[in-house]
Amino acid sequence: MAVMPQDPQIAGAGALLAILRDGRARTRAELAQLTGLARSTVSQRLDALMQDGWVVATEDAISSGGRPAAAFVFNESVRVVLTADLGATHARLAVLDLGMSVLAERAVELHVDRGPRDTLGRVVAEFETLLAGLGRELAQVCGVGVGLPGPVDHGTGRPANPPIMPGWDGFPVPEWLGERLGAPVLVDNDVNIMALGEHWTVGQDTDHLIFIKIGTGIGCGIISGRRLHRGAQGAAGDVGHIRAVLADGGSAGDAVCRCGNIGCLEAVASGASMAAELRAQGVAADGSRDVVALLRAGDTRAARLIRQAGREVGGVMAAIVNFFNPSVIVIGGDIADAGEHVLAGVREAIYSRSLPLATQHLTIRASRLGDRAGVIGAAAMVVEHVLAPDMIDQSVQARAVDPAAPVG
Ligand SMILES: [Zn+2]
């Protein structure tokens, strides 16, 4: 992007918008008081924000006496965000406004093993259908967030050796989608965006949260200091390949994992491993959803496996609680639908093996968002990026220099 000449009068517009994002309407006088800026400076910045539609004027009804003063409020509906949470065989897509309200969404069957062009082409078509249903256009899209079921290089947004996504390694997902959707595209792995979604539901008061997904595989997303912790190579949170210590003191030593090691948590406590165990016992079960369906139908073998899996996940999490000291642990993924059957085991292992100081104020619960955690989290990721004060400053500066410049 070209370096824009800086207009100091509007350079702080992004910071002003950040104040208004809580949804409260404020007058110029209130904003001047909050920021310590001259009222004329506040006015110029508000004008720049209004020109781009980020802020709209309203009338302050609670103004004391006389004519109501003009108040200004964040315009959540001025643009929309598109998000897609891709799993191995299913995807969920959504359109949200900047206040994180879901305007439209749909779940579709979509197989990522058909390669990136086929899969992403379908994602573009689904987005266009959702937008058309809302009477919105691509020009109103300010950003796109995508979650993929595999490792993603955070710097480039490209998949990095994803095991279940043939043809995707190094594919330029942000560029490919950006060309077709005309907006910046942020990509991360599915567990990370689910962690962002769950963190969004608990609010900014929670600094440290772990989201653990128990589905076909097992992985976790780490929110540290209110930010996603990805690690040096984006591999942080890969708890599925930590060696499991069985709750009964036994060894998971002979369970072979898909990573090639033996005794991994994923090899003994994932939906795939439980389904395999049930098949070995002569029970028809293809994957994690079948395991939960069997539990609900009263199958005691499935119930025993799920409780045991909870204890094994808890055993690994107990070490992580001691090491990381989160205040919230959220359990998601298909197996989380087993509710207390899995949560009880997780709690039991964590409370018996973590230090009391670390568990004193620890909340362990099932996901509140369920299947929607990914699309909500991807939207949170995009909104934070698009509405970051320096991005807003760039956007209003570009418009001040060239009124025909695209917004957002
Ligand atoms: Zn492994």
Side-chain angles (χ1 to χ4, degrees):
M1 174 174 284
V3 176
M4 299 296 171
Q6 293 288 305
D7 178 342
Q9 289 306 313
I10 61 173
L16 207 56
L17 184 65
I19 294 171
L20 290 168
R21 277 184 60 196
D22 65 4
R24 260 193 60 202
R26 292 181 176 85
T27 62
R28 285 190 186 89
E30 282 174 307
L31 287 167
Q33 200 181 12
L34 273 169
T35 56
L37 295 167
R39 217 194 273 211
S40 58
T41 308
V42 168
S43 291
Q44 277 173 316
R45 291 177 187 179
L46 282 171
D47 286 346
L49 290 169
M50 283 196 287
Q51 223 156 26
D52 277 8
W54 299 116
V55 165
V56 286
T58 162
E59 281 204 339
D60 184 13
I62 55 162
S63 172
S64 51
R67 199 166 60 86
F72 301 88
V73 67
F74 174 44
N75 184 10
E76 293 177 347
S77 62
V78 64
R79 313 220 207 295
V80 293
V81 172
L82 304 176
T83 64
D85 178 18
L86 274 56
T89 58
H90 288 82
R92 181 171 285 265
L93 302 105
V95 182
L96 294 93
D97 68 15
L98 297 173
M100 296 287 294
S101 295
V102 177
L103 305 176
E105 68 182 316
R106 69 189 304 184
V108 296
E109 195 174 315
L110 192 63
H111 295 259
V112 291
D113 62 3
R114 295 201 183 138
R117 288 176 186 82
D118 254 36
T119 308
L120 296 176
R122 176 85 187 284
V123 166
V124 170
E126 294 290 348
F127 279 151
E128 285 169 344
T129 305
L130 283 173
L131 284 172
L134 291 167
R136 295 274 199 158
E137 291 169 5
L138 276 178
Q140 292 169 295
V141 175
C142 66
V144 183
V146 178
L148 296 177
V152 174
D153 177 84
H154 179 61
T156 62
R158 298 179 180 201
N161 298 309
I164 61 164
M165 301 170 69
W168 287 75
D169 184 29
F171 188 81
V173 178
E175 292 84 354
W176 200 93
L177 281 177
E179 264 172 37
R180 286 152 182 86
L181 298 170
V185 180
L186 304 181
V187 185
D188 211 325
N189 79 59
D190 54 354
V191 185
N192 279 349
I193 63 166
M194 291 166 94
L196 287 172
E198 293 294 340
H199 185 242
W200 178 78
T201 68
V202 295
Q204 287 295 313
D205 293 340
T206 300
D207 290 348
H208 310 297
L209 172 148
I210 291 204
F211 172 82
I212 178 156
K213 180 185 179 190
I214 316 174
T216 305
I218 297 177
C220 86
I222 303 161
I223 304 288
S224 176
R226 304 182 198 176
R227 301 199 159 272
L228 197 55
H229 173 80
R230 296 185 172 89
Q233 253 65 50
D238 213 345
V239 290
H241 304 285
I242 293 177
R243 193 177 178 85
V245 183
L246 297 191
D248 59 7
S251 160
D254 57 353
V256 180
C257 180
R258 65 183 167 93
C259 74
N261 272 325
I262 51 169
C264 294
L265 179 64
E266 196 167 294
V268 293
S270 65
S273 72
M274 284 188 271
E277 175 64 28
L278 286 166
R279 285 197 300 275
Q281 295 178 29
V283 183
D286 272 344
S288 42
R289 288 184 188 189
D290 292 341
V291 180
V292 176
L294 283 162
L295 168 86
R296 288 192 174 144
D299 188 292
T300 52
R301 293 160 294 190
R304 191 185 59 77
L305 281 172
I306 285 175
R307 290 198 197 108
Q308 181 64 20
R311 285 191 286 269
E312 279 150 12
V313 169
V316 166
M317 295 308 290
I320 288 166
V321 166
N322 285 340
F323 177 77
F324 178 66
N325 190 195
S327 55
V328 180
I329 293 178
V330 181
I331 314 285
D334 288 342
I335 298 296
D337 289 345
E340 284 305 315
H341 288 274
V342 67
L343 280 171
V346 173
R347 289 197 184 103
E348 179 191 316
I350 289 177
Y351 286 119
S352 65
R353 288 202 248 172
S354 297
L355 296 171
L357 184 61
T359 55
Q360 207 172 15
H361 301 292
L362 176 64
T363 302
I364 302 167
R365 61 166 173 81
S367 162
R368 285 180 187 154
L369 294 171
D371 289 347
R372 300 172 95 191
V375 290
I376 301 281
M381 170 171 75
V382 171
V383 167
E384 287 317 307
H385 173 76
V386 171
L387 297 185
D390 56 335
M391 295 297 285
I392 292 294
D393 285 352
Q394 274 180 30
S395 164
V396 298
Q397 293 278 358
R399 171 138 312 215
V401 174
D402 171 14
V407 170

